[in-house]
Amino acid sequence: MGRAPCCDKTSVKRGPWSPEEDELLRSYVHNHGTGGNWIALPHKAGLNRCGKSCRLRWLNYLRPDIKHGGYTEQEDRIICSLYNSIGSRWSIIASKLPGRTDNDVKNYWNTKLKKKAISMHHQQQQEYYHQQQQHSSGGRGRRGAAVVTPRAAAPRSQQCASSMQPSPASASDACSFGAMYPSPSTTLQAAAPVLARYDGTAPAPVPPPRGQQQASALAEFSPAPATAISGTWAGGLPLDDMFLPELLGDSEFPPGGDFFGTGFAPLLLQDRAAASLQELSACYFPNAQAEMWAAADHHLHVKAPQAGLCHSLT
DNA sequence: AATCAGCTCAACCGCGAAAGG
DNA sequence: ACCTTTCGCGGTTGAGCTGAT
């Protein structure tokens, strides 16, 4: 059986839109609006198209004030940070970027930004690994502390693969960003009391309906994007305080300095790499997450991530 | 010049949520 | 309360483009 199609696909035109079709749709919406019914719109507009196709064309291409390409570094950072925090909720992310559509942001992430993130994460891991090697060769490290190398971690993740649906690639996509870019929900824990500690044994909070979920997740991202872009974001924090220095260069983040500002320093710089690995590991080993975050909190004052860090694993 | 591989992005697909009867 | 219709979203596809060989 299956779901009935939204329209008769054999009788409607598909594929790329012609300039004439664009003009028909544009002028119809301009004169009449969408009428709240996309299914009926193509017939009224004289278009031999599926309603969904019309909606998509309008929202992603014909709508006024749409921007294509030319993403700024600022936008990159917003996308990265939001992706880290709420995952692939492209419509929400796009809503924070004036003129951008969810499809556009999604494409941009999948084709460009993701690669950038992954390469940066690998670089970060390597640096951490080298640091650990130097540390252990120059003296004994922390008693009982095992140095986790990517090489060593891989087989374990494969062991877990049977109980974890997503591929390592998809997991690393999300987790690499979790590790790289502290989300506002991580860096702004003091300003986000809604964060519940993940203790692994407590019953998971009942997720609110999707709309409310989005709203609560977004509560951390007010005020509006225009304000954010002008230089400040939630709680009046300077935008740059909400992102790790990878995209900015070290000069803006003095080494060892408390660049998150007083009261917003869950990730101390000297332990950042460790926290990153911990976060990454937690993605691969969800059952060990409670212990890790408990330890992390004790050592690093790190809160467990809210939904979104390892969204690809859920 | 021809072929191939990789990339981009518009468009499609199918699902869940919301709305309305 | 249930069913149907429509909307909105995220994942995926594939045509067209570009650069390398």
Side-chain angles (χ1 to χ4, degrees), chain A residues 61-233:
Chain A
Y61 202 83
L62 298 176
R63 196 160 45 113
D65 308 324
I66 293 281
K67 280 192 281 183
H68 289 287
Y71 280 81
T72 65
E73 192 80 357
Q74 192 88 298
E75 286 175 309
D76 283 1
R77 280 186 255 150
I78 291 172
I79 294 169
C80 292
S81 184
L82 283 171
Y83 184 86
N84 175 31
S85 180
I86 61 174
S88 56
R89 311 288 279 273
W90 302 118
S91 61
I92 297 175
I93 296 173
S95 73
K96 296 291 158 188
L97 301 167
R100 303 295 185 188
T101 68
D102 53 354
N103 209 32
D104 206 27
V105 173
K106 178 172 60 181
N107 281 334
Y108 181 56
W109 168 264
N110 284 331
T111 57
K112 293 179 182 137
L113 219 43
K114 185 165 74 177
K115 289 169 193 164
K116 191 175 172 182
I118 290 171
S119 69
M120 284 165 69
H121 175 67
H122 287 162
Q123 192 184 340
Q124 188 186 4
Q125 268 191 318
Q126 295 230 322
E127 283 169 14
Y128 174 70
Y129 181 41
H130 288 315
Q131 274 181 9
Q132 288 294 314
Q133 275 192 321
Q134 285 173 1
H135 201 249
S136 59
S137 64
R140 295 191 66 83
R142 266 186 217 157
R143 197 154 50 110
V147 176
V148 180
T149 69
R151 200 178 284 262
R156 285 192 64 192
S157 67
Q158 282 161 11
Q159 282 173 14
C160 295
S162 60
S163 61
M164 296 167 63
Q165 290 302 318
S167 66
S170 63
S172 66
D173 286 355
C175 298
S176 62
F177 253 74
M180 280 179 47
Y181 297 92
S183 68
S185 57
T186 304
T187 57
L188 299 179
Q189 55 167 310
V194 294
L195 286 186
R197 172 176 302 285
Y198 179 86
D199 63 7
T201 55
V206 177
R210 190 169 183 172
Q212 291 174 28
Q213 213 170 29
Q214 293 174 353
S216 63
L218 277 179
E220 297 167 49
F221 296 104
S222 58
T227 314
I229 283 167
S230 73
T232 61
W233 217 353

